[in-house]
Amino acid sequence: MLEPKSKSHIRLPWNSLGLVAVLIVLILFFGLMSEYFFSAVTFRTLVNQIPALTVIAVGMTFVLLIAGIDLSVGSVMALCAAVMGVLIIDQQTSIAIALISALLVGLACGAANGFVSAKWRIPSFVVTLGMLEIARGGAYLVTNSETKYLGESVGFIGSPIAGLGISAALIAAILVVVIAQWVLSKTLFGRYMIAIGTNEEAVRLSGVNPLFWKVLVFALAGLLAGLGGIFQLGYLQSADPNAGIGLELAAIAAVVIGGTSLSGGRGSVVNSFLGVLIIAVMQAGLAQLGVSEPSKRIITGLVIIVAVLFDQFREPLGRLFQKKRAA
Amino acid sequence: MPRIRFDRNLILGLLLTAVLSACSSEKDMENESSTSKSQPARVALVMKSLANEYFINMMEGAKAHQLENAEKYELIVNGTKNESDLAQQVSLVEQMMAAQVDILVLAPVSSKGMLPVVKRAIDQGIVVVNIDNRFDQDVLQQMGMSVPFVGPADREGAKLVGLEVAKYLNAGDEVAIIGGLPGAYNAQQRQAGFEDAMTESSLNIISIQSADWESAKSATVAAAILSENPNLKALLCSNDSMALGAVAAVRQAGRTGDVLVVGFDNLSAANNLVQSGELLATIDQHGDELAVYGIEYALQILHSGVIPENIITPVDLIVAK
Amino acid sequence: MLLQIKNLNKSFAVPVLKNLNFELQKGEVHALLGSNGAGKSTLCNIISGIYTADSGSFEYCGQPYTPSSLQAAETLGICMVMQELNLFPTLSVAENLYFRSMSDRFGIVQHQAIQQRAIKALQTVGLNYIDPAQPLSQLGVGQQQLIEIASVLQRNIKLLILDEPTSALTGPQIDLLFEQIIQLKKQGIGVIYISHRMDEMSRIADRVSILRDGELVATEATTDISTDRMVQLMAGDESTSIDKKESISQPCVQSDSTLLKVENFSRRTKNQSGGDSGFEDISFNLRAGEVLGIGGLIGSGRTELLRAIFGADQAHAGYIRLASDEFKVQRIMKSPTEAISHGIGMLVEDRKSQGLLLSHSVSKNISFAILDRLTSKLGLVDQSTEQDLAMSMKKKLGIQYNSSQQPISSLSGGNQQKALLARWLAIEFSILLLDEPSRGVDARAKSQIQTLIRELAAMGKAIIVVSSETQELLKVSDRIAVMSNGRLAGIFNADELSEEKLLEASFCFYSSEGNQLETTNART
């Protein structure tokens, strides 16, 4: 069937292009400012730092899509890593069992978030704020407030694979991005997520029970926070009960930079990933320049706002782009 | 149609990752050879929270020193957002490695957690000097590394300030300790120093709690200790930020004068309180010079290749004039 | 002469007010009467500045008047008390009364002063026993309605519009309100009074204007007109002889197979403004191949009834029985999912807020309710089947759009409605509930939808249609159930029912005496 292209269609690739443009501008900027920035090592280091934030941003994208929010991801990540660390160090369990346990803990936290907020119609902001404290307390409890040092036993997760330069965690994280984007654009689950974020009442009146799907989304966000915890553990080779403080805000920032609407119904996993890259490039560049802490904060804040402003005006820009191409 | 959109997005993302991770493998070779000995050394100073005055002083001291010695070295200073962000400090060290520094002077957030990345830095040929908070010696040995430590005599300093408290108390009086981030070496050392002094003076430690180096947490913890222990005579805090919180809690409880408070670091605010009498004493570990000691020592190692040895910097007791 | 309107026209896609002439004297109470959609509210909204007229001339207090906004109208002394209360439940009574003048110039609320003033204001509406400091939410709906009126009376008004002020009031409260209105009349204030209660017309109004389809059909002194005549005028003279079967074929399935029995169904809740809404003790049968229309005024419980059958809200009492259970099981649907699994579908009243996924494409909207069936075991949506479905529905229903990927928000109301209908046609259903199926759609789409309803019935489906348009009900229905104030006023055979009779039934449970209409119940 041959159909003329509609407006909504051109919008998304252009939006990704916009984010890529922002990213390139940032890289060029830092490349000009620091002679050491523009090197393979810098970028290899940078991408090996992002697996945890990437998978957590994927979960956050889904949660924001259904017009929810999950503030507990940072704490849940720390809890999952703590559980895994304690199991390996103190309980001497195999790494496989520790890995599965960490994922299950994340899943359980997420499912609890989803069930409480969807079943009793409590705003997810409040429920996950509670979980933020609960999971952090849990992390202190299981580790006895100490950083558990694991050493090389978990190094295979986060250390660069020889000859490839990137870590197993990064490959897994990119796989998660690919699968999540596929789920979002191709599957029933993806369709229901967008629909719930657009008009939950219409979904209910169409005979689809939003409760199940909402719980599933939060459970998935928890599971991905658990996976993020595993990546973090592999990266740091230790389980830090203080890990991921404020990570939820970094994840939300990445997702919002990626153009996902805070009011639900619109979003893209790949764009969230680009958002993560933008934040990572910015942090790496500012660190290499040795910019002072106050300036770092101010610049990071400004870039978030500018990126979102850019997103606000992407439709007019997109149209302009179209016209030029047509001319 | 949706197929195209999906793929295009995905390709963009993947392409970018590919570009970022593997852009030009020849380039690092070039860079390595281009670092010639005639150029000034590149020094990275990575610290803890730059929201803490103690580290600000340290940074200012280092910057002033660098200006005087601009022909000897370049300086890049970074710090974490808060006192406990291990992941951020690891990534900062990694960025410094990527930035091809020659020297890394590190005040680690965690005595154990920072070791894997430090090992990689050493393997890359970077001279690493540990300042402020000492690495865990057991793990260090496990990993077969030795990293020179330049830092204050935490335990001795804590004992010094503890003995100052004891002067004003009688044997058997109740005291409490508010400790730093659990797991941090200097937190453990200072706590041990307090305990040494208390044992020596036969004072009774009734409570040891952590406030993660932070002022607000300390105020909460101190308030709780005060309300539960009406006979408490002193609060020993492992740093000045926490001492400020404890002083506020004592003031709130109306027990100024009855409960003595001591700190560690000699922050300017703490110094003012010492002069006004609300804080009994603190320890000046010369934080502003600490980083400078570390940098000078590292430059020495870089040029001469001497066998690293630990340097313990002096500490001074600060009391009202 | 206080207000004079000449040749007023207003249209929202379709004309709503046509060449309307209206006048209001000083000190006169002028009632407006008409069925749903006759144009009463539009007229009042224009006078009070909420809408602007397309054309027409206004004269107010002898001056030309062009109401530009609510605020502009208020400064000229024109105030409207709306049906939906504009109050703040968590603020105190006094703060509500003086919401716009409660603080001094520094922004400090003057509690003492406004409470003093409030005591006087409360006396004017007979609420002297109320403490002005108590939160408004502690008051009953009737009392809240009086507070709203009291708040308006505090202002310097010359023209007051009251939209169904008595709907939530008790007998003594109504007496008090009428005393107040008489006071206003003495001060020379003109009052426009909207109500569904016929008996109030002769009690309080001097004149009554009757609107029908946006036209003012008569203005009479209340002393000169009987209630019967008013109903007749509202219905229209020609209504007795509607050629109801115009283009629509008669039902060809005249089977006697009942599909649904509704028995003593009830649901009573407080609505947003606190008044009663819902329905009580509704019983009827629905047969295959039949269209059952439900008429009555807006707010008479029609929508609530449909939603309860569908499980969108749960009924509180009574139950339904289904042919699929051989009528042996008493059911109350707990969710739309459950209703759909029993072959019941529903087209909702407000398509924007409850039906459409506005930013989604047309095809995604059509396929939504059967999406799980278009999905493989892996969870993959079969997009080509989805496209085919959209195409076949496009042909079947004549939905007009350029691309099935076009967001549905870019379609006209009629096409949106057809797409929503298509969502239900894609499902295997035996009973379809349609709430205002042709609201907000153009004339051509409307007749297409009506034809479709008849066709579905001819295929043996059982259909319930709620409509505020009498013509539409008479046109598509085999039988018509009329609801009035939450109760069933009667079920009539469509060919035996006149528009006049329908209106009479719609009003029968509203009159304060509550005299029940004698109804000719059709074969139930």
Side-chain angles (χ1 to χ4, degrees):
Chain A
M1 184 171 66
L2 215 72
E3 288 182 334
K5 280 188 181 180
S6 69
K7 262 191 300 178
S8 69
H9 232 86
I10 292 143
R11 206 167 64 183
L12 271 160
W14 164 249
N15 187 29
S16 290
L17 280 176
L19 290 171
V20 172
V22 170
L23 203 50
I24 289 171
V25 166
L26 278 174
I27 290 171
L28 287 178
F29 173 77
F30 287 121
L32 284 175
M33 296 298 288
S34 161
E35 52 177 320
Y36 296 94
F37 183 82
F38 209 74
S39 74
V41 186
T42 299
F43 293 123
R44 213 179 282 157
T45 309
L46 187 153
V47 292
N48 283 330
Q49 283 169 357
I50 59 169
L53 183 60
T54 300
V55 292
I56 285 170
V58 169
M60 190 67 81
T61 308
F62 282 5
V63 172
L64 291 189
L65 260 173
I66 63 163
I69 198 159
D70 189 348
L71 299 177
S72 70
V73 286
S75 299
V76 170
M77 181 191 89
L79 174 62
C80 295
V83 165
M84 186 170 169
V86 167
L87 283 178
I88 293 173
I89 291 292
D90 299 344
Q91 308 293 323
Q92 310 285 333
T93 57
S94 72
I95 288 184
I97 288 173
L99 245 146
I100 291 165
S101 308
L103 290 176
L104 286 178
V105 168
L107 189 74
C109 291
N113 277 338
F115 188 77
V116 173
S117 71
K119 178 76 182 177
W120 291 293
R121 292 170 186 242
I122 303 172
S124 53
F125 188 99
V126 180
V127 177
T128 58
L129 189 66
M131 181 59 79
L132 177 144
E133 292 294 332
I134 292 168
R136 184 63 65 188
Y140 287 139
L141 204 65
V142 295
T143 57
N144 212 1
S145 300
E146 282 172 18
T147 301
K148 296 280 172 191
Y149 178 72
L150 287 100
E152 282 303 318
S153 60
V154 291
F156 72 94
I157 300 170
S159 303
I161 296 167
L164 202 61
I166 56 175
S167 64
L170 178 63
I171 296 170
I174 289 172
L175 220 64
V176 167
V177 170
V178 172
I179 293 170
Q181 180 67 48
W182 177 80
V183 165
L184 181 58
S185 50
K186 295 279 186 182
T187 67
L188 183 73
F189 179 36
R191 198 69 73 73
Y192 281 170
M193 276 192 284
I194 300 173
I196 288 170
T198 311
N199 192 341
E200 191 178 333
E201 183 65 3
V203 170
R204 193 175 78 92
L205 292 176
S206 301
V208 177
N209 185 2
L211 179 78
F212 170 78
W213 300 99
K214 288 172 86 172
V215 175
L216 185 60
V217 166
F218 278 96
L220 208 60
L223 181 79
L224 288 169
L227 187 63
I230 293 168
F231 292 167
Q232 186 87 347
L233 182 100
Y235 170 62
L236 299 174
Q237 296 181 16
S238 55
D240 174 13
N242 287 304
I245 291 175
L247 190 77
E248 58 282 347
L249 296 182
I252 292 169
V255 173
V256 171
I257 287 173
T260 294
S261 162
L262 275 176
S263 48
R266 177 165 66 84
S268 145
V269 175
V270 168
N271 286 353
S272 295
F273 179 54
L274 291 172
V276 170
L277 284 176
I278 287 175
I279 287 181
V281 164
M282 210 155 51
Q283 280 176 353
L286 292 173
Q288 289 208 3
L289 290 180
V291 173
S292 75
E293 184 66 19
S295 318
K296 264 184 205 166
R297 297 276 187 111
I298 291 166
I299 294 168
T300 310
L302 286 175
V303 169
I304 291 172
I305 293 170
V306 168
V308 175
L309 267 179
F310 200 77
D311 178 57
Q312 279 288 311
F313 293 107
R314 82 207 139 100
E315 278 184 64
L317 280 169
R319 252 176 267 136
L320 203 73
F321 187 65
Q322 280 300 299
K323 269 180 206 159
K324 274 191 185 159
R325 218 165 53 175
Chain B
M1 288 304 282
R3 182 181 295 271
I4 293 172
R5 174 179 64 183
F6 174 58
D7 287 348
R8 205 184 295 175
N9 267 5
L10 205 63
I11 288 166
L12 279 173
L14 289 177
L15 211 70
L16 217 81
T17 322
V19 167
L20 288 178
S21 60
C23 69
S24 62
S25 49
E26 314 91 66
K27 199 162 181 185
D28 27 347
M29 310 276 267
E30 271 172 47
N31 281 341
E32 236 152 76
S33 56
S34 69
T35 323
S36 90
K37 290 289 164 197
S38 62
Q39 277 180 345
R42 289 169 54 80
V43 176
L45 173 60
V46 175
M47 296 178 297
K48 290 196 269 177
S49 172
L50 288 185
N52 184 340
E53 188 188 326
Y54 173 69
F55 292 104
I56 300 281
N57 286 339
M58 198 184 281
M59 178 181 76
E60 298 298 340
K63 280 187 172 169
H65 184 261
Q66 192 269 335
L67 280 179
E68 290 165 19
N69 299 285
E71 76 293 344
K72 282 198 201 156
Y73 70 99
E74 292 172 6
L75 182 66
I76 310 173
V77 184
N78 278 290
T80 56
K81 281 183 186 170
N82 58 47
E83 301 260 352
S84 59
D85 199 336
L86 177 60
Q88 200 198 357
Q89 203 176 38
V90 170
S91 66
L92 284 172
V93 170
E94 286 183 338
Q95 288 309 330
M96 292 306 104
M97 288 159 64
Q100 310 275 329
V101 297
D102 305 303
I103 290 172
L104 172 67
V105 177
L106 177 66
V109 161
S110 157
S111 308
K112 293 176 185 171
M114 285 305 290
L115 285 172
V117 70
V118 166
K119 185 173 192 318
R120 273 184 280 147
I122 292 174
D123 292 348
Q124 197 183 302
I126 296 174
V127 173
V128 179
V129 170
N130 174 204
I131 59 168
D132 183 55
N133 175 23
R134 197 169 177 182
F135 287 135
D136 188 289
Q137 297 303 301
D138 296 340
V139 182
L140 212 54
Q141 250 171 13
Q142 245 176 51
M143 296 174 84
M145 296 194 299
S146 86
V147 179
F149 174 66
V150 175
D154 278 305
R155 191 164 178 164
E156 285 72 14
K159 192 176 169 187
L160 213 59
V161 82
L163 289 173
E164 178 69 18
V165 171
K167 283 186 200 165
Y168 296 85
L169 303 181
N170 305 316
D173 278 352
E174 294 180 352
V175 299
I177 296 174
I178 298 178
L181 196 66
Y185 175 76
N186 54 351
Q188 291 162 359
Q189 287 292 302
R190 290 176 193 180
Q191 190 177 315
F194 286 145
E195 284 167 346
D196 293 346
M198 296 305 107
T199 323
E200 215 174 289
S201 325
S202 339
L203 292 172
N204 184 14
I205 302 173
I206 49 155
S207 173
I208 302 176
Q209 291 193 43
S210 162
D212 300 351
W213 297 130
E214 280 166 29
S215 181
K217 279 187 193 165
S218 169
T220 321
V221 169
I225 295 175
L226 285 169
S227 66
E228 276 181 32
N229 303 288
N231 297 322
L232 191 79
K233 296 286 183 223
L235 280 166
L236 310 167
C237 305
S238 291
N239 79 351
D240 274 351
S241 294
M242 295 193 295
L244 294 177
V247 166
V250 170
R251 202 182 292 151
Q252 287 273 312
R255 286 161 74 177
T256 310
D258 298 340
V259 180
L260 303 173
V261 183
V262 292
F264 205 106
D265 288 348
N266 194 27
L267 300 187
S268 60
N271 193 287
N272 290 340
L273 284 180
V274 170
Q275 301 313 329
S276 74
E278 278 193 277
L279 192 62
L280 178 66
T282 183
I283 290 291
D284 190 351
Q285 50 175 333
H286 307 286
D288 49 342
E289 291 161 41
L290 195 59
V292 175
Y293 286 140
I295 291 166
E296 283 185 336
Y297 190 42
L299 287 168
Q300 217 180 321
I301 298 170
L302 183 72
H303 295 306
S304 63
V306 286
I307 305 141
E309 228 177 280
N310 298 336
I311 296 181
I312 303 302
T313 54
V315 294
D316 294 315
L317 182 71
I318 305 290
V319 291
K321 281 170 194 159
Chain C
M1 187 75 62
L2 184 64
L3 177 73
Q4 188 163 29
I5 300 173
K6 282 181 183 159
N7 299 321
L8 173 65
N9 280 291
K10 176 73 185 172
S11 51
F12 299 106
V14 288
V16 183
L17 294 175
K18 301 164 203 162
N19 274 325
L20 185 131
N21 294 300
F22 178 82
E23 56 187 42
L24 178 68
Q25 305 285 349
K26 282 182 184 166
E28 178 193 27
V29 176
H30 195 144
L32 285 181
L33 203 55
S35 53
N36 293 325
K40 298 168 303 201
S41 297
T42 310
L43 175 60
C44 292
N45 284 337
I46 289 173
I47 295 172
S48 60
I50 296 174
Y51 298 152
T52 33
D54 295 340
S55 66
S57 72
F58 286 73
E59 213 171 86
Y60 173 65
C61 299
Q63 302 283 327
Y65 167 65
T66 39
S68 59
S69 73
L70 200 61
Q71 285 73 22
E74 274 187 21
T75 50
L76 291 171
I78 299 178
C79 273
M80 173 149 87
V81 176
M82 287 186 246
Q83 226 176 324
E84 292 291 315
L85 297 174
N86 288 311
L87 295 170
F88 307 93
T90 51
L91 296 185
S92 74
V93 170
E95 284 162 343
N96 268 289
L97 279 169
Y98 299 101
F99 185 72
R100 275 176 293 184
S101 56
M102 64 174 148
S103 66
D104 64 10
R105 64 201 165 97
F106 301 113
I108 316 284
V109 176
Q110 304 291 301
H111 286 289
Q112 288 296 326
I114 59 168
Q115 282 178 18
Q116 287 302 319
R117 285 160 67 197
I119 291 169
K120 275 188 193 162
L122 286 171
Q123 277 168 358
T124 62
V125 288
L127 293 176
N128 16 15
Y129 53 92
I130 299 262
D131 174 9
Q134 78 184 103
L136 185 87
S137 55
Q138 291 178 358
L139 271 56
V141 192
Q143 292 170 328
Q144 291 190 19
Q145 180 85 54
L146 290 173
I147 298 278
E148 170 115 37
I149 292 167
S151 136
V152 169
L153 295 181
Q154 295 310 302
R155 298 177 208 151
N156 191 11
I157 47 170
K158 290 182 183 147
L159 195 166
L160 178 64
I161 303 169
L162 295 169
D163 192 355
E164 291 206 54
T166 54
S167 59
L169 299 187
T170 61
Q173 285 173 330
I174 294 176
D175 295 344
L176 211 72
L177 174 68
F178 285 180
E179 270 172 41
Q180 276 301 314
I181 294 177
I182 290 162
Q183 288 299 317
L184 293 175
K185 279 177 64 166
K186 282 182 188 158
Q187 296 165 30
I189 293 167
V191 178
I192 298 175
Y193 188 90
I194 300 177
S195 176
H196 285 312
R197 298 187 174 176
M198 297 292 186
D199 57 320
E200 290 174 6
M201 297 301 150
S202 52
R203 239 183 105 190
I204 190 69
D206 301 306
R207 285 193 293 174
V208 55
S209 282
I210 292 149
L211 278 84
R212 188 174 70 235
D213 298 334
E215 285 177 83
L216 201 150
V217 289
T219 299
E220 301 275 356
T222 44
T223 45
D224 298 348
I225 189 167
S226 68
T227 308
D228 290 349
R229 179 63 189 150
M230 285 192 263
V231 172
Q232 239 171 38
L233 283 166
M234 275 195 284
D237 294 328
E238 74 280 16
S239 67
T240 38
S241 58
I242 314 160
D243 181 14
K244 59 174 288 223
K245 303 302 175 225
E246 288 166 66
S247 63
I248 294 173
S249 58
Q250 269 296 307
C252 51
V253 183
Q254 276 293 3
S255 68
D256 203 32
S257 54
T258 301
L259 286 183
L260 171 74
K261 290 184 180 176
V262 174
E263 296 176 2
N264 308 104
F265 224 40
S266 301
R267 177 182 163 87
R268 272 289 178 196
T269 48
K270 295 274 176 203
N271 63 17
Q272 269 176 342
S273 48
D276 259 352
S277 74
F279 54 89
E280 243 176 83
D281 203 22
I282 306 285
S283 302
F284 63 86
N285 290 353
L286 182 68
R287 282 183 291 268
E290 167 186 61
V291 177
L292 175 69
I294 299 185
L297 300 171
I298 290 167
S300 60
R302 307 169 307 177
T303 296
E304 288 85 349
L305 172 62
L306 286 203
R307 284 177 64 91
I309 295 173
F310 186 56
D313 303 314
Q314 272 185 52
H316 294 154
Y319 40 83
I320 61 175
R321 295 170 190 264
L322 294 164
S324 52
D325 305 321
E326 295 171 339
F327 304 111
K328 282 177 184 152
V329 189
Q330 301 182 347
R331 289 183 185 279
I332 289 182
M333 293 298 169
K334 289 188 190 63
S335 71
T337 317
E338 188 183 345
I340 290 168
S341 72
H342 287 100
I344 304 176
M346 177 169 170
L347 188 73
V348 289
E349 181 184 17
D350 184 344
R351 60 175 169 265
K352 280 219 168 72
S353 75
Q354 296 171 350
L356 295 170
L357 302 166
L358 270 177
S359 55
H360 293 218
S361 67
V362 182
S363 63
K364 285 180 181 175
N365 268 284
I366 291 175
S367 68
F368 193 77
I370 58 153
L371 205 55
D372 48 350
R373 273 184 253 160
L374 298 181
T375 306
S376 70
K377 274 184 191 151
L378 264 174
L380 204 67
V381 176
D382 182 347
Q383 293 186 342
S384 70
T385 313
E386 189 177 34
Q387 294 295 325
D388 293 347
L389 175 72
M391 276 310 286
S392 74
M393 285 300 170
K394 180 180 178 173
K395 273 186 207 139
K396 195 165 168 185
L397 302 183
I399 310 173
Q400 287 172 346
Y401 55 84
N402 295 328
S403 152
S404 59
Q405 298 304 316
Q406 198 174 338
I408 200 157
S409 54
S410 65
L411 265 57
S412 71
N415 285 313
Q416 287 179 351
Q417 193 73 327
K418 285 183 194 169
L420 277 184
L421 261 171
R423 184 188 288 175
W424 293 113
L425 297 190
I427 280 193
E428 292 292 313
F429 67 89
S430 51
I431 299 165
L432 189 58
L433 315 173
L434 306 172
D435 197 355
E436 303 281 4
S438 66
R439 172 190 281 185
V441 309
D442 59 76
R444 192 163 151 264
K446 180 180 276 186
S447 86
Q448 286 171 333
I449 289 171
Q450 289 166 351
T451 310
L452 181 77
I453 292 170
R454 288 304 333 172
E455 282 171 7
L456 288 171
M459 285 158 60
K461 312 286 187 195
I463 295 170
I464 301 181
V465 175
V466 161
S467 178
S468 295
E469 284 178 55
T470 314
Q471 293 293 335
E472 177 170 80
L473 278 181
L474 293 169
K475 209 160 157 184
V476 302
S477 313
D478 299 308
R479 291 185 302 154
I480 295 174
V482 181
M483 289 184 71
S484 177
N485 208 6
R487 283 183 275 173
L488 192 60
I491 300 180
F492 309 87
N493 281 327
D495 41 15
E496 292 164 8
L497 187 66
S498 65
E499 194 165 347
E500 187 182 332
K501 211 163 166 184
L502 196 154
L503 264 177
E504 208 178 343
S506 311
F507 280 94
C508 77
F509 287 119
Y510 282 98
S511 81
S512 31
E513 286 101 51
N515 61 325
Q516 198 170 339
L517 203 78
E518 253 184 67
T519 51
T520 36
N521 282 23
R523 352 148 227 160
T524 25

